[in-house]
Amino acid sequence: MTIRVTDSYLSSILLGDLNRSLGHMLEQQRMAGSMRRVNDFADDPRAVSTIQRYNSLIASNSEYLTNVTRSRIMVDGTDVALNNISEVLADVRVIALRESSAIATEQSQETSVIEVDNLVNRLMDVLNTSIEGNYLFSGRQLSTQPFTRSGNTVIYQGDREDITARTGPNTSMTLNIHGDVLLGTQSSTLGGTVDMAPRIDGTTPLTALNLGEGWHPGRISLTGGNGNTYQVDLSGAVTVNDLITTVNAATAGQITLSIQADGSGLELAGTGPLVVGEIDEGRTAASLGLNGVSDGNSYMGRDIRPMATAATNLADIQSLAGHLPLGVMNINWQGADHAVDFSAATTLGDLQTTLNGAIPGMTIQIQGSGISLVGGSPEAFTVTNADATNTASVLGIEGAGSPVRLFGMLEDLKTGLDTGDKDAIRGVMTELSHIEDTVYQLIMKNGGRQTDLDWAEGILMQRDERLKANLSLEYDADVAQVAADLKQAEASYQASLLVTSKLYSANLIQFLR
């Protein structure tokens, strides 16, 4: 059976094959140009939904990474501010220790008032720190300055709301610290007002003098009213008795050294006026409280007592003389009255042990030359005398304990400096310690947030890489495969053109014949 194939039919077959070859080549060229396997929905309808899902996940992950970056700005700024606050409090501690010690003078206390004022202003600047116009310590009231002064009172104007940020699909993080936490702590404190530094005696180590600051070994010069000058080398002395022995031997008894009757310092006696000086620009005499000139035949040195410790005997504390043994005091705390009997106590450590046993959660802290009561919660408490021994008054802890106050503490310190009240200055030390503890806790808390942000950023970066790799498998073209397919498509198209041109050429010649 003969079948006739017309030229028209043959032409349509050739043109169709040519167009298909051209279309395949153009598709490969587009893939090679965009390096994408899927350029529109028609390329791979199944892959389109997967690609859209990966694009959505990558966009969300990018938002989380942006949140982490923005969050780090606030957290890092808070860390700098808290460390600045810690430095200010360290400066306050230096002032309080210096001006409550025996070396403080009226002039130094007047100068310290100015220093404290400057530190208050510095604290205000730090607490009102803003980043990009947002205040760090004002809660969610980012545009409101958190702290403002009204006379001698500092007022907190922010709120206690948390600022949170999404740092992952199922995680969020609190970024801010409320400023009012710096106006109090989670404890209540009653600072003692009685000097608990023990008297010095012959066995007192020289390294313990001056509230634990020690002394400067070296030589001193002693000059009597008769004109005799003695150079005394004290560098080998270890105890107060060593000093006494060395001085008395060096002067052959012309100028004698002894301990003052109240045990607070040293005393020189001889034909006056007595002159005590340094040799080779040393600081030995000053560290022993003896640098100067006497008005008569005796020179009464300044207070150089050691600091109080748990081992300090109550009998060695001058302020307790005539009040031992102690008795009972009453503490009202958390809605209950507690009678605390100190009658068996012989050391400051015994006071701590007795109180801890009578009232769990309340402690006696010993710092420098004072003691204080600290309750383990911010609830206020009161301490009163319970018998004729007036124990609470004798120990200087009669009164009310309350949560510590940052600016209130500084005002108390200024008042103590203004009036020259060393007991009041010492009373500030405990409150200062608790504020420092609060700041250290906040620094650690904020440091944990910085660590969490580092961890979140690492996880998000890994997730971003994984999502983009999965998207690439669906979306991107295989370079080697595209190059090979494009070469093949070009060859196929060229072959189709060649065949078509030859067939059309042959038909035209036949037609002309």
Short mmCIF file of all heavy atoms in Angstrom, two decimals, residues 97-157:
data_model
loop_
_atom_site.label_atom_id
_atom_site.label_comp_id
_atom_site.label_asym_id
_atom_site.label_seq_id
_atom_site.Cartn_x
_atom_site.Cartn_y
_atom_site.Cartn_z
N LEU A 97 35.60 54.23 103.74
CA LEU A 97 36.66 53.60 104.55
C LEU A 97 37.66 54.64 105.03
O LEU A 97 38.08 54.62 106.19
CB LEU A 97 37.37 52.52 103.72
CG LEU A 97 36.62 51.21 103.51
CD1 LEU A 97 37.36 50.32 102.51
CD2 LEU A 97 36.45 50.47 104.84
N ARG A 98 38.03 55.55 104.13
CA ARG A 98 39.04 56.55 104.49
C ARG A 98 38.53 57.50 105.56
O ARG A 98 39.22 57.78 106.55
CB ARG A 98 39.42 57.32 103.22
CG ARG A 98 40.51 58.37 103.44
CD ARG A 98 40.75 59.14 102.15
NE ARG A 98 39.62 59.98 101.80
CZ ARG A 98 39.18 60.13 100.55
NH1 ARG A 98 39.75 59.48 99.56
NH2 ARG A 98 38.16 60.94 100.31
N GLU A 99 37.28 57.96 105.40
CA GLU A 99 36.77 58.98 106.30
C GLU A 99 36.19 58.42 107.59
O GLU A 99 35.84 59.18 108.49
CB GLU A 99 35.71 59.83 105.59
CG GLU A 99 36.22 60.53 104.34
CD GLU A 99 37.48 61.34 104.60
OE1 GLU A 99 37.60 61.90 105.72
OE2 GLU A 99 38.35 61.42 103.72
N SER A 100 36.06 57.08 107.69
CA SER A 100 35.64 56.49 108.97
C SER A 100 36.84 55.97 109.74
O SER A 100 36.69 55.45 110.85
CB SER A 100 34.65 55.35 108.72
OG SER A 100 35.26 54.28 108.02
N SER A 101 38.03 56.08 109.14
CA SER A 101 39.24 55.58 109.79
C SER A 101 39.86 56.66 110.68
O SER A 101 39.41 57.81 110.72
CB SER A 101 40.26 55.14 108.74
OG SER A 101 40.77 56.25 108.05
N ALA A 102 40.89 56.26 111.33
CA ALA A 102 41.55 57.18 112.27
C ALA A 102 42.31 58.29 111.56
O ALA A 102 42.65 59.30 112.17
CB ALA A 102 42.49 56.39 113.16
N ILE A 103 42.61 58.12 110.28
CA ILE A 103 43.41 59.14 109.57
C ILE A 103 42.54 60.27 109.04
O ILE A 103 43.06 61.24 108.50
CB ILE A 103 44.20 58.50 108.41
CG1 ILE A 103 43.23 57.92 107.36
CG2 ILE A 103 45.13 57.42 108.91
CD1 ILE A 103 43.93 57.41 106.12
N ALA A 104 41.21 60.16 109.17
CA ALA A 104 40.30 61.19 108.65
C ALA A 104 40.45 62.49 109.45
O ALA A 104 40.65 62.47 110.67
CB ALA A 104 38.87 60.71 108.70
N THR A 105 40.33 63.60 108.74
CA THR A 105 40.37 64.92 109.39
C THR A 105 39.14 65.70 108.96
O THR A 105 38.43 65.32 108.02
CB THR A 105 41.63 65.69 108.97
OG1 THR A 105 41.58 65.96 107.56
CG2 THR A 105 42.89 64.90 109.29
N GLU A 106 38.89 66.80 109.63
CA GLU A 106 37.74 67.63 109.28
C GLU A 106 37.87 68.14 107.84
O GLU A 106 36.89 68.18 107.09
CB GLU A 106 37.64 68.80 110.26
CG GLU A 106 36.42 69.69 109.99
CD GLU A 106 36.31 70.82 111.02
OE1 GLU A 106 37.04 70.76 112.05
OE2 GLU A 106 35.52 71.75 110.78
N GLN A 107 39.09 68.50 107.46
CA GLN A 107 39.31 69.01 106.11
C GLN A 107 39.06 67.92 105.07
O GLN A 107 38.44 68.16 104.03
CB GLN A 107 40.73 69.56 105.98
CG GLN A 107 41.01 70.18 104.60
CD GLN A 107 42.40 70.77 104.53
OE1 GLN A 107 43.18 70.66 105.47
NE2 GLN A 107 42.73 71.39 103.40
N SER A 108 39.56 66.70 105.35
CA SER A 108 39.38 65.61 104.39
C SER A 108 37.91 65.26 104.24
O SER A 108 37.44 64.91 103.15
CB SER A 108 40.18 64.37 104.81
OG SER A 108 39.64 63.78 105.99
N GLN A 109 37.14 65.35 105.33
CA GLN A 109 35.72 65.05 105.26
C GLN A 109 34.96 66.11 104.45
O GLN A 109 34.03 65.80 103.71
CB GLN A 109 35.15 64.91 106.66
CG GLN A 109 35.62 63.64 107.37
CD GLN A 109 35.15 63.54 108.80
OE1 GLN A 109 34.72 64.53 109.39
NE2 GLN A 109 35.21 62.35 109.38
N GLU A 110 35.37 67.36 104.59
CA GLU A 110 34.76 68.43 103.78
C GLU A 110 35.01 68.19 102.30
O GLU A 110 34.13 68.37 101.45
CB GLU A 110 35.30 69.79 104.22
CG GLU A 110 34.83 70.23 105.61
CD GLU A 110 35.47 71.54 106.03
OE1 GLU A 110 36.33 72.05 105.25
OE2 GLU A 110 35.14 72.06 107.11
N THR A 111 36.24 67.79 101.99
CA THR A 111 36.58 67.51 100.59
C THR A 111 35.79 66.30 100.08
O THR A 111 35.35 66.27 98.93
CB THR A 111 38.08 67.24 100.45
OG1 THR A 111 38.82 68.36 100.94
CG2 THR A 111 38.46 66.97 99.01
N SER A 112 35.59 65.33 100.96
CA SER A 112 34.88 64.11 100.56
C SER A 112 33.42 64.38 100.25
O SER A 112 32.81 63.69 99.44
CB SER A 112 35.00 63.05 101.67
OG SER A 112 36.33 62.64 101.83
N VAL A 113 32.83 65.39 100.91
CA VAL A 113 31.44 65.75 100.59
C VAL A 113 31.32 66.16 99.13
O VAL A 113 30.39 65.75 98.42
CB VAL A 113 30.95 66.90 101.51
CG1 VAL A 113 29.60 67.42 101.03
CG2 VAL A 113 30.84 66.42 102.95
N ILE A 114 32.30 66.90 98.65
CA ILE A 114 32.31 67.32 97.24
C ILE A 114 32.48 66.10 96.34
O ILE A 114 31.82 65.97 95.30
CB ILE A 114 33.43 68.35 97.00
CG1 ILE A 114 33.20 69.59 97.87
CG2 ILE A 114 33.50 68.72 95.52
CD1 ILE A 114 34.33 70.60 97.81
N GLU A 115 33.36 65.18 96.76
CA GLU A 115 33.56 63.96 95.98
C GLU A 115 32.28 63.16 95.87
O GLU A 115 31.93 62.66 94.78
CB GLU A 115 34.65 63.09 96.64
CG GLU A 115 36.05 63.64 96.54
CD GLU A 115 37.05 62.66 97.11
OE1 GLU A 115 37.23 61.57 96.55
OE2 GLU A 115 37.65 62.98 98.17
N VAL A 116 31.56 63.02 96.99
CA VAL A 116 30.31 62.26 96.97
C VAL A 116 29.29 62.93 96.06
O VAL A 116 28.57 62.26 95.31
CB VAL A 116 29.76 62.08 98.39
CG1 VAL A 116 28.37 61.44 98.36
CG2 VAL A 116 30.70 61.24 99.24
N ASP A 117 29.21 64.26 96.11
CA ASP A 117 28.30 64.99 95.21
C ASP A 117 28.61 64.69 93.76
O ASP A 117 27.71 64.48 92.94
CB ASP A 117 28.41 66.50 95.47
CG ASP A 117 27.38 67.00 96.48
OD1 ASP A 117 26.31 66.38 96.58
OD2 ASP A 117 27.67 67.98 97.18
N ASN A 118 29.90 64.68 93.44
CA ASN A 118 30.31 64.38 92.06
C ASN A 118 29.94 62.95 91.67
O ASN A 118 29.53 62.69 90.53
CB ASN A 118 31.81 64.60 91.89
CG ASN A 118 32.20 66.06 91.99
OD1 ASN A 118 31.38 66.95 91.72
ND2 ASN A 118 33.43 66.33 92.37
N LEU A 119 30.08 62.03 92.62
CA LEU A 119 29.73 60.64 92.34
C LEU A 119 28.23 60.47 92.14
O LEU A 119 27.78 59.65 91.32
CB LEU A 119 30.23 59.73 93.47
CG LEU A 119 31.75 59.60 93.58
CD1 LEU A 119 32.13 58.76 94.81
CD2 LEU A 119 32.33 58.96 92.32
N VAL A 120 27.43 61.22 92.91
CA VAL A 120 25.97 61.18 92.72
C VAL A 120 25.61 61.65 91.32
O VAL A 120 24.79 61.02 90.63
CB VAL A 120 25.26 62.05 93.78
CG1 VAL A 120 23.78 62.19 93.44
CG2 VAL A 120 25.42 61.43 95.17
N ASN A 121 26.23 62.73 90.87
CA ASN A 121 25.97 63.23 89.52
C ASN A 121 26.41 62.21 88.47
O ASN A 121 25.73 62.03 87.45
CB ASN A 121 26.70 64.56 89.29
CG ASN A 121 26.14 65.68 90.15
OD1 ASN A 121 24.96 65.68 90.51
ND2 ASN A 121 26.98 66.64 90.51
N ARG A 122 27.52 61.56 88.75
CA ARG A 122 28.01 60.54 87.81
C ARG A 122 27.04 59.36 87.75
O ARG A 122 26.76 58.82 86.67
CB ARG A 122 29.40 60.08 88.26
CG ARG A 122 30.12 59.19 87.28
CD ARG A 122 31.56 59.04 87.71
NE ARG A 122 32.09 57.74 87.38
CZ ARG A 122 33.14 57.19 87.96
NH1 ARG A 122 33.76 57.85 88.91
NH2 ARG A 122 33.57 56.00 87.59
N LEU A 123 26.52 58.97 88.92
CA LEU A 123 25.54 57.88 88.95
C LEU A 123 24.28 58.25 88.16
O LEU A 123 23.73 57.43 87.43
CB LEU A 123 25.16 57.58 90.40
CG LEU A 123 25.88 56.44 91.11
CD1 LEU A 123 25.36 56.30 92.53
CD2 LEU A 123 25.73 55.14 90.36
N MET A 124 23.83 59.48 88.34
CA MET A 124 22.64 59.93 87.61
C MET A 124 22.87 59.84 86.10
O MET A 124 21.99 59.40 85.35
CB MET A 124 22.29 61.36 88.01
CG MET A 124 21.72 61.49 89.42
SD MET A 124 20.07 60.77 89.57
CE MET A 124 19.11 61.90 88.56
N ASP A 125 24.06 60.24 85.65
CA ASP A 125 24.36 60.17 84.23
C ASP A 125 24.34 58.73 83.73
O ASP A 125 23.81 58.44 82.65
CB ASP A 125 25.74 60.79 83.95
CG ASP A 125 25.75 62.31 84.12
OD1 ASP A 125 24.65 62.91 84.07
OD2 ASP A 125 26.83 62.87 84.32
N VAL A 126 24.91 57.82 84.53
CA VAL A 126 24.96 56.42 84.11
C VAL A 126 23.56 55.81 84.09
O VAL A 126 23.18 55.12 83.13
CB VAL A 126 25.88 55.61 85.06
CG1 VAL A 126 25.80 54.12 84.73
CG2 VAL A 126 27.32 56.10 84.95
N LEU A 127 22.78 56.07 85.14
CA LEU A 127 21.44 55.48 85.23
C LEU A 127 20.50 56.06 84.18
O LEU A 127 19.49 55.43 83.84
CB LEU A 127 20.87 55.70 86.63
CG LEU A 127 21.56 54.91 87.74
CD1 LEU A 127 21.05 55.34 89.11
CD2 LEU A 127 21.36 53.42 87.55
N ASN A 128 20.80 57.22 83.67
CA ASN A 128 19.98 57.82 82.61
C ASN A 128 20.60 57.61 81.23
O ASN A 128 20.33 58.35 80.29
CB ASN A 128 19.78 59.32 82.87
CG ASN A 128 18.81 59.57 84.02
OD1 ASN A 128 17.85 58.83 84.21
ND2 ASN A 128 19.07 60.61 84.79
N THR A 129 21.42 56.58 81.12
CA THR A 129 22.04 56.25 79.83
C THR A 129 20.97 55.90 78.80
O THR A 129 20.02 55.17 79.09
CB THR A 129 23.00 55.06 79.99
OG1 THR A 129 24.05 55.42 80.88
CG2 THR A 129 23.59 54.67 78.64
N SER A 130 21.13 56.42 77.60
CA SER A 130 20.23 56.07 76.50
C SER A 130 21.04 55.62 75.30
O SER A 130 22.17 56.07 75.10
CB SER A 130 19.33 57.25 76.12
OG SER A 130 20.12 58.31 75.58
N ILE A 131 20.46 54.74 74.51
CA ILE A 131 21.08 54.26 73.28
C ILE A 131 20.08 54.44 72.16
O ILE A 131 18.95 53.94 72.23
CB ILE A 131 21.49 52.78 73.41
CG1 ILE A 131 22.59 52.63 74.46
CG2 ILE A 131 21.97 52.24 72.07
CD1 ILE A 131 23.04 51.21 74.67
N GLU A 132 20.48 55.20 71.17
CA GLU A 132 19.61 55.51 70.03
C GLU A 132 18.29 56.14 70.49
O GLU A 132 17.22 55.85 69.97
CB GLU A 132 19.35 54.26 69.19
CG GLU A 132 20.61 53.66 68.59
CD GLU A 132 20.33 52.41 67.79
OE1 GLU A 132 19.19 51.89 67.88
OE2 GLU A 132 21.24 51.94 67.09
N GLY A 133 18.39 56.95 71.55
CA GLY A 133 17.20 57.64 72.05
C GLY A 133 16.35 56.83 73.01
O GLY A 133 15.34 57.33 73.50
N ASN A 134 16.75 55.59 73.31
CA ASN A 134 15.99 54.73 74.22
C ASN A 134 16.74 54.59 75.54
O ASN A 134 17.91 54.20 75.55
CB ASN A 134 15.77 53.34 73.60
CG ASN A 134 14.97 53.40 72.32
OD1 ASN A 134 14.02 54.17 72.22
ND2 ASN A 134 15.35 52.61 71.34
N TYR A 135 16.06 54.91 76.66
CA TYR A 135 16.69 54.81 77.98
C TYR A 135 16.77 53.35 78.40
O TYR A 135 15.82 52.58 78.23
CB TYR A 135 15.91 55.62 79.00
CG TYR A 135 16.04 57.11 78.82
CD1 TYR A 135 15.03 57.85 78.20
CD2 TYR A 135 17.18 57.78 79.25
CE1 TYR A 135 15.16 59.22 78.01
CE2 TYR A 135 17.31 59.15 79.07
CZ TYR A 135 16.31 59.86 78.46
OH TYR A 135 16.44 61.21 78.28
N LEU A 136 17.91 52.96 78.98
CA LEU A 136 18.15 51.56 79.33
C LEU A 136 17.38 51.10 80.55
O LEU A 136 16.97 49.94 80.62
CB LEU A 136 19.66 51.34 79.57
CG LEU A 136 20.58 51.49 78.36
CD1 LEU A 136 22.02 51.27 78.79
CD2 LEU A 136 20.19 50.51 77.26
N PHE A 137 17.19 51.99 81.53
CA PHE A 137 16.67 51.55 82.82
C PHE A 137 15.25 52.03 83.10
O PHE A 137 14.83 52.05 84.25
CB PHE A 137 17.60 52.03 83.94
CG PHE A 137 18.98 51.43 83.88
CD1 PHE A 137 20.06 52.21 83.50
CD2 PHE A 137 19.19 50.10 84.18
CE1 PHE A 137 21.34 51.67 83.42
CE2 PHE A 137 20.46 49.55 84.12
CZ PHE A 137 21.54 50.33 83.73
N SER A 138 14.51 52.41 82.10
CA SER A 138 13.16 52.94 82.33
C SER A 138 12.05 51.95 82.03
O SER A 138 10.90 52.33 81.85
CB SER A 138 12.96 54.21 81.48
OG SER A 138 13.11 53.91 80.11
N GLY A 139 12.38 50.65 81.98
CA GLY A 139 11.36 49.66 81.65
C GLY A 139 10.93 49.82 80.20
O GLY A 139 11.75 49.98 79.30
N ARG A 140 9.61 49.79 79.99
CA ARG A 140 9.09 49.97 78.62
C ARG A 140 8.86 51.44 78.27
O ARG A 140 8.49 51.76 77.15
CB ARG A 140 7.78 49.18 78.45
CG ARG A 140 7.97 47.67 78.53
CD ARG A 140 6.66 46.95 78.29
NE ARG A 140 6.22 47.10 76.92
CZ ARG A 140 6.56 46.30 75.91
NH1 ARG A 140 7.36 45.27 76.13
NH2 ARG A 140 6.09 46.49 74.69
N GLN A 141 9.07 52.31 79.25
CA GLN A 141 8.94 53.75 78.99
C GLN A 141 10.25 54.26 78.39
O GLN A 141 10.97 55.06 79.00
CB GLN A 141 8.60 54.49 80.28
CG GLN A 141 7.37 53.98 80.99
CD GLN A 141 6.12 54.24 80.18
OE1 GLN A 141 5.99 55.27 79.52
NE2 GLN A 141 5.19 53.30 80.21
N LEU A 142 10.56 53.79 77.18
CA LEU A 142 11.87 54.02 76.60
C LEU A 142 12.18 55.50 76.36
O LEU A 142 13.35 55.89 76.35
CB LEU A 142 11.99 53.25 75.29
CG LEU A 142 11.93 51.72 75.41
CD1 LEU A 142 11.99 51.07 74.04
CD2 LEU A 142 13.06 51.21 76.29
N SER A 143 11.17 56.30 76.16
CA SER A 143 11.40 57.72 75.89
C SER A 143 11.36 58.58 77.15
O SER A 143 11.52 59.79 77.07
CB SER A 143 10.35 58.23 74.89
OG SER A 143 9.05 58.08 75.42
N THR A 144 11.15 57.93 78.31
CA THR A 144 11.06 58.67 79.58
C THR A 144 12.36 58.53 80.36
O THR A 144 12.84 57.41 80.59
CB THR A 144 9.91 58.14 80.45
OG1 THR A 144 8.69 58.27 79.73
CG2 THR A 144 9.81 58.91 81.76
N GLN A 145 12.96 59.65 80.75
CA GLN A 145 14.16 59.60 81.58
C GLN A 145 13.85 58.90 82.88
O GLN A 145 12.96 59.33 83.62
CB GLN A 145 14.67 61.02 81.85
CG GLN A 145 15.93 61.07 82.69
CD GLN A 145 16.47 62.48 82.83
OE1 GLN A 145 16.71 63.16 81.84
NE2 GLN A 145 16.65 62.93 84.07
N PRO A 146 14.55 57.81 83.20
CA PRO A 146 14.15 57.00 84.36
C PRO A 146 14.35 57.67 85.72
O PRO A 146 13.54 57.50 86.62
CB PRO A 146 15.03 55.75 84.24
CG PRO A 146 16.17 56.16 83.38
CD PRO A 146 15.65 57.20 82.45
N PHE A 147 15.41 58.45 85.89
CA PHE A 147 15.71 59.04 87.19
C PHE A 147 15.79 60.56 87.09
O PHE A 147 16.39 61.10 86.17
CB PHE A 147 17.04 58.51 87.74
CG PHE A 147 17.01 57.04 88.08
CD1 PHE A 147 17.39 56.09 87.15
CD2 PHE A 147 16.59 56.61 89.32
CE1 PHE A 147 17.36 54.75 87.45
CE2 PHE A 147 16.56 55.26 89.64
CZ PHE A 147 16.93 54.33 88.70
N THR A 148 15.17 61.19 88.05
CA THR A 148 15.23 62.65 88.12
C THR A 148 15.37 63.07 89.57
O THR A 148 14.94 62.35 90.49
CB THR A 148 13.96 63.29 87.50
OG1 THR A 148 14.12 64.70 87.50
CG2 THR A 148 12.72 62.92 88.29
N ARG A 149 15.98 64.22 89.80
CA ARG A 149 16.20 64.70 91.16
C ARG A 149 15.16 65.74 91.52
O ARG A 149 14.83 66.63 90.74
CB ARG A 149 17.59 65.28 91.30
CG ARG A 149 18.71 64.29 91.06
CD ARG A 149 20.07 64.88 91.31
NE ARG A 149 20.34 65.04 92.73
CZ ARG A 149 21.55 65.27 93.23
NH1 ARG A 149 22.58 65.38 92.42
NH2 ARG A 149 21.73 65.41 94.51
N SER A 150 14.64 65.59 92.74
CA SER A 150 13.74 66.59 93.31
C SER A 150 14.31 66.96 94.68
O SER A 150 14.09 66.27 95.68
CB SER A 150 12.32 66.01 93.46
OG SER A 150 11.47 66.95 94.08
N GLY A 151 15.11 68.03 94.71
CA GLY A 151 15.83 68.35 95.94
C GLY A 151 16.91 67.31 96.17
O GLY A 151 17.72 67.02 95.30
N ASN A 152 16.90 66.70 97.36
CA ASN A 152 17.85 65.64 97.68
C ASN A 152 17.28 64.26 97.41
O ASN A 152 17.91 63.25 97.71
CB ASN A 152 18.26 65.74 99.16
CG ASN A 152 19.12 66.97 99.43
OD1 ASN A 152 19.85 67.42 98.55
ND2 ASN A 152 19.01 67.50 100.64
N THR A 153 16.08 64.20 96.84
CA THR A 153 15.42 62.93 96.57
C THR A 153 15.52 62.58 95.09
O THR A 153 15.34 63.44 94.23
CB THR A 153 13.93 62.98 96.97
OG1 THR A 153 13.84 63.34 98.35
CG2 THR A 153 13.26 61.64 96.75
N VAL A 154 15.82 61.31 94.82
CA VAL A 154 15.86 60.82 93.44
C VAL A 154 14.59 60.02 93.19
O VAL A 154 14.25 59.12 93.95
CB VAL A 154 17.11 59.96 93.20
CG1 VAL A 154 17.07 59.35 91.81
CG2 VAL A 154 18.37 60.80 93.38
N ILE A 155 13.89 60.35 92.12
CA ILE A 155 12.60 59.73 91.81
C ILE A 155 12.75 58.87 90.56
O ILE A 155 13.35 59.29 89.57
CB ILE A 155 11.51 60.79 91.58
CG1 ILE A 155 11.36 61.66 92.83
CG2 ILE A 155 10.18 60.15 91.20
CD1 ILE A 155 10.44 62.84 92.62
N TYR A 156 12.18 57.64 90.62
CA TYR A 156 12.18 56.76 89.47
C TYR A 156 10.90 56.97 88.68
O TYR A 156 9.80 56.87 89.21
CB TYR A 156 12.28 55.29 89.92
CG TYR A 156 12.23 54.31 88.79
CD1 TYR A 156 13.23 54.28 87.82
CD2 TYR A 156 11.19 53.39 88.68
CE1 TYR A 156 13.20 53.39 86.78
CE2 TYR A 156 11.14 52.48 87.63
CZ TYR A 156 12.16 52.48 86.69
OH TYR A 156 12.11 51.58 85.65
N GLN A 157 11.02 57.30 87.39
CA GLN A 157 9.87 57.64 86.56
C GLN A 157 9.50 56.55 85.56
O GLN A 157 8.53 56.69 84.81
CB GLN A 157 10.14 58.93 85.78
CG GLN A 157 10.46 60.12 86.67
CD GLN A 157 10.70 61.37 85.86
OE1 GLN A 157 10.00 62.36 85.98
NE2 GLN A 157 11.71 61.33 85.01
#
